[in-house]
Amino acid sequence: MGKKNKTKYALLGMLSMSPMSGYDIKKLTDFSISHFWSENFGHIYPVLKKMETDGFVTKEVEETSGKPNRNIYYITPTGRQELVNWLHLPVEPPPIRNEILLKIFFADQLPTEKIIEMVAEERKKCLDNLSKYKKIEETLKADGQYMNDKRIPFWLMTLSFGVHSSKAGVSWCEETLKILEERLENSK
Amino acid sequence: MGKKNKTKYALLGMLSMSPMSGYDIKKLTDFSISHFWSENFGHIYPVLKKMETDGFVTKEVEETSGKPNRNIYYITPTGRQELVNWLHLPVEPPPIRNEILLKIFFADQLPTEKIIEMVAEERKKCLDNLSKYKKIEETLKADGQYMNDKRIPFWLMTLSFGVHSSKAGVSWCEETLKILEERLENSK
DNA sequence: ATGATATATACCACCATGATACTTTTCCTA
DNA sequence: TAGGAAAAGTATCATGGTGGTATATATCAT
């Protein structure tokens, strides 16, 4: 994934659903895609500005009283084309950095009890995520509001990914805990 | 994980195994932990410099003829302590960005055939990784060179993580492909 | 009253990535 | 045997991404 600007496409995608302000985009990403994507203001605002000068979006200022004015962004046909072009491009592999595995790799410098604690904590996180994903899945399937939305199947796929990888996480933790506990027994 | 400097700990970890140059560190990370961690020169060199002024490592210049001199770095007791301190700290969750899921999320703007192609490609990647991990596992278990190294169990754990998550990836792809192919049938 | 929370934009320091620059030795191949 | 690729080695740059902070006001609960 590297140094290509993916924020751009996330923003274009959001704006392809509806015109929005930067603040709205942040709210919507946190609500709808936070299980696999994150954005932050420090990037959203400059990228929106850049995309305006590039002609991918247009801005309309909505006057408010007291609060700062809302800058509402609209995707342009060029912007829509840019989004579709990216959708057609092959997926670029991201650089990987998994902190718990880095710690495990050097874990001979750590007491076994501490490693067990760490992995147990990880297991808890995975389980928490798992139940979170399942809950959202249920709501999506049940909610009449979205019943006929043709995008639902795709949203469910992203959730299912979360379910699969959380389950994998749990089973790795449990396998690892077993080894560590055996190790602890043998060292007594 | 965010803006805390984890490169520092990766480098300290490597130097805790043996004194090395920046070039050596890059080679060793690419060889031994590339399945879950990546480093690049652009960060290795400045971080080594910073750690020298912070007293976590010391440098010894090895004269060579022709080639640039090798800067060999040694971890200090302070550096070792810094590494162990970090090992004891709880794991910080990284910001997540999964490009294929972002594309799936907006995939209603893409022909079903194209989505199928994308997911099939992903499946292939997962399978490739899976066999790669399994092969390394075999070598590690078989290789007499490491037979008695007490760090082997930990290295195997990191590999097993790769196996678990690749398998999860494959099964998600296959589940998703089934849905997409059904969709393609129904649209005919 | 007072403080938390929500709305809204913006900037900054820091961290991370990939590309490129530069040089010499060694090894392979046409 | 000439020529080029690859390896060894350090270093810098532009770009991208993260989290925190600054700045303001309205609203709602305590």
Side-chain angles (χ1 to χ4, degrees), chain B residues 154-167:
Chain B
F154 298 114
W155 300 353
L156 286 174
M157 286 173 194
T158 69
L159 280 166
S160 176
F161 184 94
V163 171
H164 276 87
S165 64
S166 306
K167 278 185 184 167

Side-chain angles (χ1 to χ4, degrees), chain B residues 3 5-6 40 43:
Chain B
K3 54 179 233 154
N5 187 345
K6 304 286 156 143
N40 54 292
H43 220 182

